[in-house]
């Protein structure tokens, strides 16, 4: 990956890394979308057990909307510095309510595109 310039290697290619917590929270998200909120809570509790040291941190009986918010909140804590939050907010449909600078901008074309610097685009033929 990357490229060699004057004897030095520069990593200019993106490598996507998933952690176990990512897979568990995706599983919780899928269970919740399928209407299996109790199973989603079970997955959330796996994260909470490791993070907070408390078994059954989340009780059963949440609404699907509440579980969705819990999953998003856990993702925001778990991946605070890993560049996932933007995509989570978009996927959960909460980007226009949680990002102050995007409030009232739902109808602007291209407002959610992630900017790519010209230099990166010029160096990587896979980016159009």
């Amino acid at each position: 990956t990357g490229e060699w310039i004057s004897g030095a290697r520069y990593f200019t290619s993106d490598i996507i890394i998933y952690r176990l917590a990512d897979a568990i929270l995706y599983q919780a998200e899928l269970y919740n979308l399928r209407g299996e909120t109790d199973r989603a809570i079970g997955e959330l509790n796996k994260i909470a057990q490791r993070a907070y040291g408390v078994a059954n941190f989340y009780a059963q009986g949440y609404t699907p909307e509440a579980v969705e918010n819990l999953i998003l909140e856990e993702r925001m804590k778990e991946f605070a510095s890993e560049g996932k939050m933007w995509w989570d907010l978009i996927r959960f449909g909460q980007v226009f309510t949680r990002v102050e600078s995007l409030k009232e901008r739902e109808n602007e074309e291209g407002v959610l595109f992630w900017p790519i610097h010209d230099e990166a685009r010029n160096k990587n033929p896979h980016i159009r």
Side-chain angles (χ1 to χ4, degrees), residues 68-99:
E68 184 175 277
N69 284 323
L70 291 173
I71 293 168
L72 182 57
E73 291 295 325
E74 285 298 334
R75 290 190 64 80
M76 291 171 77
K77 292 177 206 172
E78 185 74 34
F79 308 112
S81 301
E82 297 182 31
K84 296 175 184 274
M85 191 179 314
W86 174 253
W87 309 109
D88 290 340
L89 290 172
I90 291 172
R91 190 173 67 257
F92 281 84
Q94 295 192 27
V95 70
F96 292 109
T97 56
R98 289 189 181 237
V99 178

Coordinates of all heavy atoms in Angstrom, one line a residue, residues 68-99:
E68 N -31.9 2.4 18.9 CA -31.1 3.0 17.9 C -30.3 4.2 18.5 O -29.1 4.3 18.2 CB -32.1 3.6 16.8 CG -31.3 4.2 15.6 CD -32.2 4.6 14.5 OE1 -32.6 3.8 13.7 OE2 -32.6 5.8 14.4
N69 N -30.9 5.0 19.3 CA -30.2 6.1 20.0 C -29.1 5.5 20.9 O -28.0 6.1 21.0 CB -31.1 7.0 20.7 CG -31.9 7.9 19.8 OD1 -31.4 8.3 18.8 ND2 -33.1 8.1 20.1
L70 N -29.4 4.4 21.6 CA -28.3 3.8 22.5 C -27.2 3.3 21.6 O -26.0 3.5 22.0 CB -28.9 2.7 23.3 CG -30.0 3.1 24.4 CD1 -30.6 1.8 25.0 CD2 -29.3 3.9 25.4
I71 N -27.5 2.7 20.5 CA -26.4 2.2 19.7 C -25.5 3.3 19.2 O -24.3 3.3 19.2 CB -27.0 1.4 18.5 CG1 -27.6 0.1 19.0 CG2 -25.9 1.1 17.5 CD1 -28.5 -0.6 17.9
L72 N -26.2 4.4 18.7 CA -25.5 5.5 18.2 C -24.6 6.2 19.3 O -23.4 6.5 19.1 CB -26.4 6.6 17.6 CG -25.7 7.8 17.0 CD1 -24.7 7.5 15.9 CD2 -26.8 8.8 16.5
E73 N -25.2 6.3 20.5 CA -24.4 6.9 21.6 C -23.2 6.0 21.9 O -22.1 6.5 22.2 CB -25.3 7.0 22.9 CG -26.3 8.1 22.7 CD -25.8 9.5 22.6 OE1 -24.7 9.8 23.2 OE2 -26.4 10.3 21.9
E74 N -23.3 4.7 21.9 CA -22.2 3.8 22.2 C -21.2 3.9 21.1 O -20.0 3.9 21.4 CB -22.7 2.3 22.4 CG -23.3 2.0 23.7 CD -22.5 2.3 24.9 OE1 -21.2 2.2 24.8 OE2 -23.0 2.5 26.0
R75 N -21.6 4.0 19.9 CA -20.7 4.2 18.7 C -19.9 5.5 18.9 O -18.7 5.5 18.6 CB -21.4 4.1 17.4 CG -21.9 2.7 17.1 CD -22.4 2.6 15.6 NE -21.3 2.8 14.7 CZ -20.4 1.9 14.3 NH1 -20.5 0.7 14.8 NH2 -19.5 2.2 13.5
M76 N -20.6 6.5 19.3 CA -19.9 7.8 19.5 C -18.9 7.8 20.5 O -17.8 8.4 20.4 CB -21.0 8.9 19.8 CG -21.9 9.2 18.6 SD -23.3 10.3 18.9 CE -22.4 11.8 19.0
K77 N -19.1 7.0 21.6 CA -18.1 6.8 22.7 C -17.0 5.9 22.2 O -15.8 6.2 22.4 CB -18.7 6.3 23.9 CG -19.7 7.2 24.6 CD -20.3 6.4 25.8 CE -21.7 7.0 26.1 NZ -22.4 6.2 27.1
E78 N -17.3 4.8 21.6 CA -16.4 3.8 21.3 C -15.4 4.2 20.2 O -14.2 3.9 20.2 CB -17.1 2.5 20.8 CG -16.2 1.3 20.6 CD -15.7 0.6 21.8 OE1 -16.4 0.6 22.8 OE2 -14.5 0.1 21.7
F79 N -15.9 5.0 19.2 CA -15.1 5.3 18.1 C -14.9 6.8 18.0 O -14.8 7.4 16.9 CB -15.7 4.8 16.8 CG -16.1 3.3 16.9 CD1 -17.4 2.9 16.9 CD2 -15.1 2.4 17.0 CE1 -17.7 1.5 17.0 CE2 -15.4 1.0 17.0 CZ -16.7 0.6 17.1
A80 N -14.8 7.5 19.1 CA -14.7 8.9 19.2 C -13.6 9.5 18.2 O -13.8 10.6 17.7 CB -14.5 9.4 20.6
S81 N -12.5 8.9 18.1 CA -11.4 9.5 17.3 C -11.1 8.6 16.1 O -10.0 8.7 15.6 CB -10.2 9.6 18.2 OG -10.4 10.4 19.3
E82 N -12.0 7.8 15.6 CA -11.7 6.9 14.5 C -12.4 7.2 13.2 O -12.3 6.5 12.3 CB -12.0 5.5 15.0 CG -11.2 5.0 16.2 CD -11.5 3.6 16.6 OE1 -11.8 2.8 15.7 OE2 -11.3 3.4 17.8
G83 N -13.0 8.4 13.1 CA -13.5 8.8 11.8 C -14.8 8.1 11.4 O -15.1 8.1 10.2
K84 N -15.5 7.5 12.3 CA -16.7 6.8 12.0 C -18.0 7.6 12.3 O -19.0 7.3 11.7 CB -16.8 5.5 12.7 CG -15.6 4.5 12.4 CD -15.7 3.3 13.2 CE -14.5 2.4 12.9 NZ -14.8 1.5 11.8
M85 N -17.9 8.6 13.1 CA -19.1 9.3 13.6 C -19.9 9.9 12.5 O -21.1 9.9 12.4 CB -18.7 10.3 14.7 CG -20.0 10.8 15.4 SD -19.6 12.0 16.7 CE -18.2 11.3 17.5
W86 N -19.2 10.6 11.5 CA -19.9 11.2 10.4 C -20.8 10.2 9.7 O -21.9 10.5 9.4 CB -18.8 11.8 9.5 CG -19.4 12.4 8.2 CD1 -19.3 11.9 7.0 CD2 -20.1 13.6 8.1 NE1 -19.9 12.7 6.1 CE2 -20.4 13.8 6.7 CE3 -20.5 14.6 9.0 CZ2 -21.1 14.9 6.2 CZ3 -21.2 15.7 8.5 CH2 -21.5 15.8 7.2
W87 N -20.2 9.1 9.4 CA -21.0 8.1 8.6 C -22.1 7.5 9.5 O -23.2 7.2 8.9 CB -20.0 7.0 8.1 CG -18.9 7.6 7.4 CD1 -17.6 7.7 7.8 CD2 -18.9 8.4 6.1 NE1 -16.8 8.4 6.9 CE2 -17.6 8.8 5.8 CE3 -19.9 8.7 5.2 CZ2 -17.3 9.5 4.7 CZ3 -19.6 9.4 4.1 CH2 -18.3 9.8 3.9
D88 N -21.9 7.3 10.7 CA -22.9 6.9 11.6 C -24.1 7.8 11.7 O -25.3 7.4 11.6 CB -22.4 6.7 13.1 CG -21.4 5.5 13.2 OD1 -21.4 4.6 12.3 OD2 -20.7 5.5 14.2
L89 N -23.8 9.1 11.8 CA -24.8 10.1 11.9 C -25.7 10.1 10.6 O -26.9 10.3 10.6 CB -24.2 11.5 12.1 CG -23.7 11.7 13.5 CD1 -22.9 13.0 13.6 CD2 -24.8 11.6 14.6
I90 N -25.0 10.0 9.5 CA -25.7 9.9 8.2 C -26.6 8.7 8.1 O -27.8 8.7 7.8 CB -24.8 10.0 7.0 CG1 -24.1 11.3 6.9 CG2 -25.5 9.6 5.7 CD1 -23.0 11.4 5.9
R91 N -26.0 7.5 8.5 CA -26.7 6.2 8.4 C -27.9 6.2 9.3 O -29.0 5.7 9.0 CB -25.8 5.1 8.7 CG -26.3 3.7 8.4 CD -25.4 2.6 8.6 NE -24.9 2.4 10.0 CZ -23.8 2.8 10.5 NH1 -22.9 3.4 9.7 NH2 -23.5 2.6 11.7
F92 N -27.8 6.8 10.5 CA -28.9 6.8 11.5 C -29.9 7.9 11.2 O -30.9 8.1 11.9 CB -28.3 6.9 12.9 CG -27.8 5.6 13.5 CD1 -26.5 5.2 13.2 CD2 -28.6 4.8 14.3 CE1 -26.0 4.0 13.7 CE2 -28.1 3.7 14.8 CZ -26.8 3.3 14.5
G93 N -29.6 8.7 10.2 CA -30.5 9.8 9.8 C -30.6 10.9 10.9 O -31.6 11.6 11.0
Q94 N -29.5 11.1 11.6 CA -29.4 12.1 12.6 C -28.4 13.3 12.4 O -28.2 14.1 13.2 CB -29.1 11.5 14.0 CG -30.2 10.5 14.4 CD -30.1 10.1 15.8 OE1 -29.5 10.8 16.7 NE2 -30.6 8.9 16.2
V95 N -27.8 13.3 11.2 CA -26.8 14.3 10.9 C -27.4 15.7 10.9 O -26.7 16.6 11.3 CB -26.1 13.9 9.6 CG1 -26.9 14.1 8.4 CG2 -24.8 14.7 9.5
F96 N -28.6 15.8 10.4 CA -29.2 17.2 10.4 C -29.7 17.7 11.7 O -30.0 18.9 11.8 CB -30.3 17.2 9.3 CG -29.7 17.1 7.9 CD1 -30.0 15.9 7.2 CD2 -29.0 18.0 7.3 CE1 -29.5 15.7 5.9 CE2 -28.4 17.9 6.0 CZ -28.7 16.7 5.3
T97 N -29.8 16.8 12.7 CA -30.3 17.3 14.0 C -29.1 17.4 15.0 O -29.2 18.2 15.9 CB -31.3 16.3 14.6 OG1 -30.8 15.0 14.6 CG2 -32.6 16.3 13.7
R98 N -28.1 16.6 14.8 CA -26.9 16.6 15.8 C -25.8 17.5 15.4 O -25.0 17.8 16.2 CB -26.4 15.2 16.0 CG -27.4 14.3 16.8 CD -26.8 13.0 17.1 NE -27.7 12.1 17.9 CZ -27.4 11.6 19.1 NH1 -26.3 12.0 19.6 NH2 -28.2 10.8 19.6
V99 N -25.6 17.8 14.1 CA -24.5 18.6 13.6 C -25.1 20.0 13.5 O -25.9 20.3 12.6 CB -23.9 18.1 12.3 CG1 -22.8 19.0 11.8 CG2 -23.4 16.7 12.5

